[in-house]
Amino acid sequence: MNEFDNRSLSDAGMYFWLCQMARQLDSAVVIINIKKGNTIDFVNHVFTRMTDYSEQDMSGMTIDQLHGPLTDVMNEEAIQESIENGLTFKTSSLHYRKDGTTFWNEVNVLPVRNQYGDLHYSILLMKDVTDSMNVELLIELEREIYYSLENGDTFERVLNNVCHTIDTTFGKKCCTAIVLVDKHNHVKHVYGDLMKGKPNMEQDVLLTGLTFHGNNPIKKPIIIKNLKESPYNELFNPLLEQYSFVSLWSQPIVNSEGQFIGLFSMYFDQLAEPLTADFKFLNRIAPIVTLAIKYFDQKTAIRQLAYQDVSTGLNNFEHFKNQLMALIEHGCEGHLFIIEPGEYQNIVDLYGRQGGNEILKQLASRLQNMSTFNDSIIARYTSSSIIIASRFTIDEMNTPQQEIDGVLNDPYYINDKETYMTLKIGKSAFNENQPFFEAIQQADTALSNALKASGTVIKQFEQSQVESVEQEMNVLAYITKGLKNNEFFPMLQPKVNIETGEIESFEALARWISADMGFVSPALFIPVAENTGNIYKIDLAIFQKVLQWQKERATRGLKQYQVSVNVSPSHFYSPGFVEKSLAIIESYNIEPKYIKFEITESTELDNILRAKKIINELKAIGIDTSIDDFGVGYSSLSYLQELPFEEIKIDKSFVDHLADSRMNAVVKTIIQLSKNLNMLSVAEGIETKEQHEELKRLGCQTGQGYYYYKPMTLSDVEKLLEDSIPV
C-alpha cells in the first residue's frame, strides 16, 4: 500500500504535487483533506522542526492538535470556517508544540480545488512569529504607558497595568512583578497583581524574586527553572508556601547611567524555560520600564516647575485642579464646563497641532469675556478641550447658550484664514459634598454625550448618561458570547411595489436576543459592534442565515426573492470582500442575483475610486448594491453619479415630513434623480396611508414600512408568502 491508494487518479496527482511543493518550501506546510473530515494528510519537515510533531503524529489528526489552554477559540473557529468554506484567510494564533511550549503561529489558509472547481484540500502555510508578536506587544505596551502618563494616570497604576497586561497577553500563564529601589538600594515600591492587599514589605521583596542577595543588588538575569531545587530554596520557602509557583525569570532594571534601580520578575506555576524569543522579550521589557520611569520623573519635574500650558498660555490642568480643590475646601459651589470645538480634529488635520492650539487660545480669550464666566477658573483640560469652573449657582447663572452663540458668530483665524466652529459642552455641578474628581468625571461624561449631537450643544450631566455607558459596556461584553452562541438572527421586512402592493423583495434586519440581556435593540448593539470591529461578524452571521433560508426554499421548489443584506463600510472595504462574499453565496448554491448589499452612506464612501471598483466587481458577478439612508450622510450628490448603485433608499426622516412642502420637494428631487440615473427608488419607514399615497403620486417605485408589513421572523415570512395578498 502506498500513500496514493484509495484516491482517484486526478486526486492522487494533485496530492502528489502538493506534497512535492511542500517539501521544497522553507515554510511549515500542512495539507488538510477536506473529503476526510478536514483531517491532516501531510506535514513537511519545516512543520516538524517547528512543532516537534512528526508526520506520523499528525496524520489523520486535525489542526486542533496544536491547541492549548491559552489558544483563542474564536480565532481557531475562523480558521476552521475558512478551511471548510474554501476561503483564503490569514491570522496569528497562540499554538502549542509537542512538549507543551507555546509559540505564535502565523497561519495562511489556501484552498485547493480540482479542475472542476471542487474543494479537495486546504493548504496551511505556517510561520513562527513569536519574536515579532512579542515586539508588537511591547510596542503597544510602551504606547499605553506614555498615553496613560500623558493623561494623568498615577505611576503606580501605570506599572500595575504593565504587569497585568503581560500576565494576560504573554504566551505562557504567568504572574509578573516589578520592584523599584532608591539610590541606597532600599525598596521603594512593588507593583503587580501579586502585591494587592499585602502590606508586609519583606513579603513583597520575596515576591519580586532575588532583588538582593545579602546586601548586594542582583545585576544580571536570573532564570530558575525549579524554585524548590534552586540554591535559594530557603529564601523562597515563604513564597512557595503561599503560592504554587514553580519557575522564575527575572531581569534587572537599570537607568541610563547603568545603575541598578529595580527588578522585573515573571513567575510560572509550571516548569518554564525561556526560549530565544523569551530571552529577547526579557531584554526588551526592562528598558521600557526604565524609559517609563524617566518619562514620569520628567513630567513630575515639569509639573512642579510650571502651572501653565506652554502652547496656549492657559492654566494647565494641574493648576486648575489645585484651584478647584481650594474653592471646594472653602465651601464654594458652582458649575464645571468642559468645552471642545466640534471641528478640532479637522483643524489639526489642516493646520497641525499649532492650529489646534491657536483655536483653543482664541476660544479661551472669548470665553473669559463672557459674563457667564466672570471670575471663573479657565484652563486647558485635554489636547482638544478647555475646562472652566464657574462659581455661579444654577439660580445666579445666565443661560450661556446666547452668549456662546455670540462667541461663534465671528470667525476664528488660523494663518490669516477664516474658520468657524461648533462647540460641544459638558456641564456638571461642584460643591463640598462631592469630590472634585467626581464633578470633573461627570462633566466629562456629559461632554461625551454632547459629542454625539450635531451643532453647538450643552449637555447637563444626568445619571442616565452613566447608565447608558454601562449598558453599552454590557453590550460589548456579551457581543462575542452572542456570536459564539449563534444568538444573532435576521428578521425580514418586505419591500413592496407602491403601485401594485406586491412583495418584490426583502431587507434582512439584524436582531439579537441575548441569553444574558434578553432582547437588545439594534440601535444599541450595532454602534457598539461598529466601534469595536465586531460588525463584520454580525453581518456575516445574518448573511449566512439568509442564504440558508433561500437554500431551503430552493430545495422545496419555492419562489426565490431577492434579499437585501446590510454591510457596514468597514466590512465593505475589507480585503477580499467580493471574493469571500461570492464564495459564501456559492457554498449555499444560491444565484448571486438573489442577494443585494445595502451600504450605509457615510464619509467612508468618499473613497470613490475604491468604492466604484468594489461595486463594479459585485455587479459583474450579479450582485446588486443599494445606498442606504440616502440624504442623511455626507456629500451625497458629489459621489452618487460616480457610484453605480442599483438602488437609492430614501431615509425615514424625509418620509416623516412629507407634509412639509420643502421636504416634499427634496423627496421629489431624489426620486427624479434616481430615475435619471436608472436606479430604483425605495422609501423607508412608510407608516400611514397618506405617506403611501403621496409617494405614489411622486413616482416612488418601492415602499417599505409598517404601513405594509413589520419586520418578521423567517417562519412568519413563510406563512405570509403562502397566502400573500397585495396591499
Side-chain angles (χ1 to χ4, degrees):
M1 297 287 290
N2 59 47
E3 61 183 348
F4 304 112
D5 287 339
N6 300 319
R7 302 177 187 274
S8 68
L9 183 61
S10 59
D11 192 22
M14 180 190 301
Y15 179 74
F16 171 81
W17 287 111
L18 289 176
C19 292
Q20 287 294 96
M21 175 198 69
R23 293 186 179 100
Q24 303 302 316
L25 293 177
D26 58 0
S27 296
V29 179
V30 177
I31 300 177
I32 294 179
N33 192 324
I34 306 300
K35 304 298 184 182
K36 289 185 178 181
N38 303 326
T39 56
I40 296 172
D41 270 4
F42 177 82
V43 297
N44 70 350
H45 62 289
V46 183
F47 176 92
T48 297
R49 188 168 63 245
M50 185 171 73
T51 67
D52 294 332
Y53 283 109
S54 67
E55 184 176 354
Q56 290 73 28
D57 290 335
M58 298 302 293
S59 180
M61 306 300 290
T62 67
I63 197 64
D64 292 356
Q65 188 73 13
L66 300 180
H67 295 182
L70 299 179
T71 303
D72 186 337
V73 175
M74 292 293 290
N75 200 33
E76 296 302 312
E77 287 178 354
I79 294 174
Q80 192 61 38
E81 184 178 331
S82 301
I83 292 171
E84 292 173 356
N85 293 318
L87 304 176
T88 57
F89 183 66
K90 182 178 180 179
T91 188
S92 293
S93 277
L94 189 69
H95 282 165
Y96 287 70
R97 300 182 180 88
K98 188 174 182 179
D99 62 3
T101 59
T102 58
F103 68 106
W104 281 103
N105 192 4
E106 182 182 271
V107 182
N108 281 274
V109 181
L110 302 174
V112 179
R113 304 176 187 275
N114 65 12
Q115 64 268 38
Y116 305 107
D118 298 326
L119 182 65
H120 277 220
Y121 297 97
S122 214
I123 304 296
L124 304 189
L125 299 180
M126 297 181 173
K127 182 181 179 183
D128 185 342
V129 292
T130 304
D131 191 39
S132 61
M133 289 294 287
N134 283 344
V135 170
E136 288 182 21
L137 166 63
L138 294 175
I139 290 173
E140 182 60 29
L141 191 62
E142 187 172 3
R143 186 182 296 116
E144 289 180 6
I145 288 172
Y146 287 122
Y147 178 83
S148 298
L149 291 175
E150 188 65 33
N151 285 275
D153 273 1
T154 64
F155 191 62
E156 178 182 9
R157 182 176 178 182
V158 170
L159 287 194
N160 280 333
N161 285 342
V162 169
C163 294
H164 180 72
T165 298
I166 294 173
D167 290 348
T168 55
T169 58
F170 192 66
K172 301 175 179 64
K173 186 178 179 182
C174 63
C175 290
T176 304
I178 296 173
V179 63
L180 297 181
V181 300
D182 61 20
K183 61 182 179 181
H184 301 295
N185 289 331
H186 297 144
V187 173
K188 292 193 302 182
H189 298 289
V190 185
Y191 306 96
D193 289 344
L194 287 173
M195 307 304 132
K196 293 180 180 177
K198 300 179 180 64
N200 187 324
M201 183 57 72
E202 290 183 3
Q203 179 71 7
D204 289 343
V205 173
L206 284 173
L207 288 170
T208 63
L210 301 179
T211 305
F212 301 102
H213 181 54
N215 294 319
N216 299 316
I218 300 297
K219 293 188 177 182
K220 62 181 181 179
I222 294 179
I223 307 298
I224 302 178
K225 188 174 181 180
N226 192 324
L227 290 169
K228 290 183 179 180
E229 298 176 358
S230 74
Y232 309 102
N233 182 39
E234 292 185 8
L235 176 65
F236 280 100
N237 272 336
L239 181 65
L240 297 175
E241 289 175 1
Q242 187 170 358
Y243 300 97
S244 57
F245 294 138
V246 177
S247 298
L248 164 68
W249 305 349
S250 66
Q251 177 76 10
I253 302 171
V254 297
N255 61 18
S256 55
E257 288 76 35
Q259 297 170 325
F260 175 83
I261 58 174
L263 196 72
F264 170 82
S265 301
M266 301 174 71
Y267 296 88
F268 304 89
D269 60 7
Q270 57 185 345
L271 291 175
E273 188 169 359
L275 303 175
T276 302
D278 299 322
F279 277 114
K280 290 181 179 178
F281 177 85
L282 286 172
N283 289 332
R284 290 165 178 154
I285 186 64
I288 290 177
V289 177
T290 301
L291 289 174
I293 295 168
K294 183 176 182 180
Y295 185 67
F296 176 76
D297 289 343
Q298 289 174 342
K299 283 191 66 65
T300 301
I302 292 171
R303 194 177 293 118
Q304 292 171 344
L305 291 173
Y307 287 102
Q308 192 177 59
D309 177 64
V310 177
S311 302
T312 60
L314 297 172
N315 292 329
N316 63 18
F317 181 66
E318 190 68 24
H319 192 197
F320 175 87
K321 184 175 69 174
N322 292 338
Q323 289 179 300
L324 179 59
M325 290 173 63
L327 285 178
I328 294 175
E329 287 173 0
H330 285 85
C332 296
E333 60 182 47
H335 282 80
L336 288 181
F337 297 84
I338 300 178
I339 304 175
E340 180 171 324
E343 295 71 26
Y344 181 83
Q345 189 56 52
N346 292 338
I347 291 168
V348 171
D349 291 342
L350 286 172
Y351 303 105
R353 292 289 171 186
Q354 290 181 340
N357 294 333
E358 181 59 30
I359 281 293
L360 291 185
K361 185 176 180 180
Q362 293 180 38
L363 174 61
S365 176
R366 297 187 188 188
L367 292 172
Q368 286 169 328
N369 292 325
M370 290 173 55
S371 62
T372 302
F373 298 132
N374 279 345
D375 199 23
S376 297
I377 307 169
I378 299 182
R380 187 169 189 168
Y381 179 46
T382 66
S383 62
S384 59
S385 64
I386 290 170
I387 189 167
I388 302 176
S390 171
R391 281 181 281 181
F392 283 115
T393 65
I394 194 67
D395 296 327
E396 299 170 329
M397 183 176 291
N398 299 321
T399 302
Q401 185 70 56
Q402 290 182 340
E403 285 194 311
I404 288 174
D405 288 341
V407 166
L408 298 173
N409 284 338
D410 294 330
Y412 290 76
Y413 291 92
I414 305 175
N415 298 336
D416 296 326
K417 293 182 180 179
E418 291 186 356
T419 187
Y420 292 85
M421 300 185 307
T422 59
L423 295 182
K424 315 298 181 182
I425 304 172
K427 175 184 172 187
S428 68
F430 69 84
N431 54 62
E432 60 184 343
N433 297 319
Q434 178 172 248
F436 79 93
F437 61 84
E438 283 189 9
I440 293 173
Q441 182 178 346
Q442 289 178 356
D444 236 336
T445 300
L447 174 64
S448 297
N449 197 29
L451 287 167
K452 298 175 184 178
S454 59
T456 294
V457 62
I458 302 174
K459 291 290 185 180
Q460 172 73 44
F461 170 77
E462 297 174 358
Q463 187 60 35
S464 60
Q465 295 169 2
V466 175
E467 293 169 358
S468 175
V469 172
E470 289 176 349
Q471 189 179 37
E472 289 182 7
M473 294 303 293
N474 285 335
V475 169
L476 174 59
Y478 289 117
I479 278 181
T480 300
K481 185 176 179 181
L483 286 164
K484 183 178 180 180
N485 293 340
N486 201 28
E487 294 174 353
F488 292 89
F489 62 94
M491 292 186 76
L492 302 187
Q493 186 173 32
K495 296 158 76 172
V496 306
N497 185 304
I498 288 183
E499 191 69 34
T500 67
E502 293 181 1
I503 296 174
E504 295 181 329
S505 59
F506 294 88
E507 179 183 1
L509 303 170
R511 295 292 183 264
W512 179 22
I513 298 181
S514 167
D516 301 282
M517 303 174 66
F519 176 79
V520 185
S521 169
L524 181 60
F525 76 75
I526 288 178
V528 174
E530 287 175 340
N531 292 336
T532 57
N534 283 302
I535 189 65
Y536 84 94
K537 298 178 183 177
I538 297 176
D539 288 348
L540 187 59
I542 300 304
F543 185 27
Q544 290 176 322
K545 289 184 179 179
V546 166
L547 289 168
Q548 181 61 38
W549 175 71
Q550 291 177 318
K551 180 179 179 180
E552 290 171 1
R553 285 186 62 84
T555 302
R556 291 185 288 152
L558 299 176
K559 179 181 177 180
Q560 289 284 355
Y561 289 86
Q562 187 182 66
V563 179
S564 298
V565 179
N566 289 286
V567 177
S568 65
S570 59
H571 188 190
F572 178 73
Y573 282 123
S574 63
F577 168 72
V578 177
E579 294 82 359
K580 293 176 183 176
S581 298
L582 180 60
I584 294 172
I585 292 172
E586 289 179 341
S587 70
Y588 285 89
N589 235 7
I590 299 298
E591 293 184 53
K593 68 180 181 179
Y594 291 118
I595 290 295
K596 177 182 289 182
F597 287 138
E598 288 192 11
I599 300 99
T600 302
E601 182 184 4
S602 74
T603 54
E604 293 187 54
L605 284 178
D606 283 345
N607 191 340
I608 292 177
L609 292 178
R610 190 175 173 195
K612 186 174 183 178
K613 180 177 182 294
I614 295 171
I615 294 170
N616 280 326
E617 288 176 357
L618 290 170
K619 179 179 288 189
I621 60 178
I623 300 176
D624 289 346
T625 52
S626 169
I627 181 167
D628 198 11
D629 299 335
F630 179 75
V632 298
Y634 303 84
S635 307
S636 305
L637 297 177
S638 68
Y639 61 63
L640 189 57
Q641 296 182 66
E642 297 291 330
L643 301 178
F645 293 106
E646 280 79 20
E647 178 182 275
I648 297 177
K649 299 197 75 177
I650 303 169
D651 187 68
K652 182 180 184 299
S653 60
F654 291 98
V655 175
D656 286 343
H657 297 89
L658 275 174
D660 183 294
S661 59
R662 298 179 68 179
M663 189 64 75
N664 192 291
V666 172
V667 173
K668 182 178 180 180
T669 300
I670 294 174
I671 293 171
Q672 187 59 51
L673 177 65
S674 68
K675 289 180 180 179
N676 294 342
L677 296 174
N678 295 317
M679 297 181 185
L680 179 70
S681 58
V682 180
E684 296 181 291
I686 302 173
E687 297 181 351
T688 67
K689 183 177 180 181
E690 290 75 18
Q691 291 172 341
H692 163 78
E693 293 294 341
E694 182 60 20
L695 288 163
K696 182 177 179 181
R697 186 186 70 80
L698 293 174
C700 186
Q701 297 157 288
T702 304
Q704 182 180 348
Y706 279 29
Y707 175 69
Y708 308 107
Y709 303 98
K710 295 181 179 180
M712 293 175 281
T713 62
L714 297 180
S715 59
D716 286 341
V717 171
E718 289 293 337
K719 294 176 184 177
L720 172 68
L721 295 178
E722 287 177 7
D723 51 6
S724 179
I725 301 175
V727 176

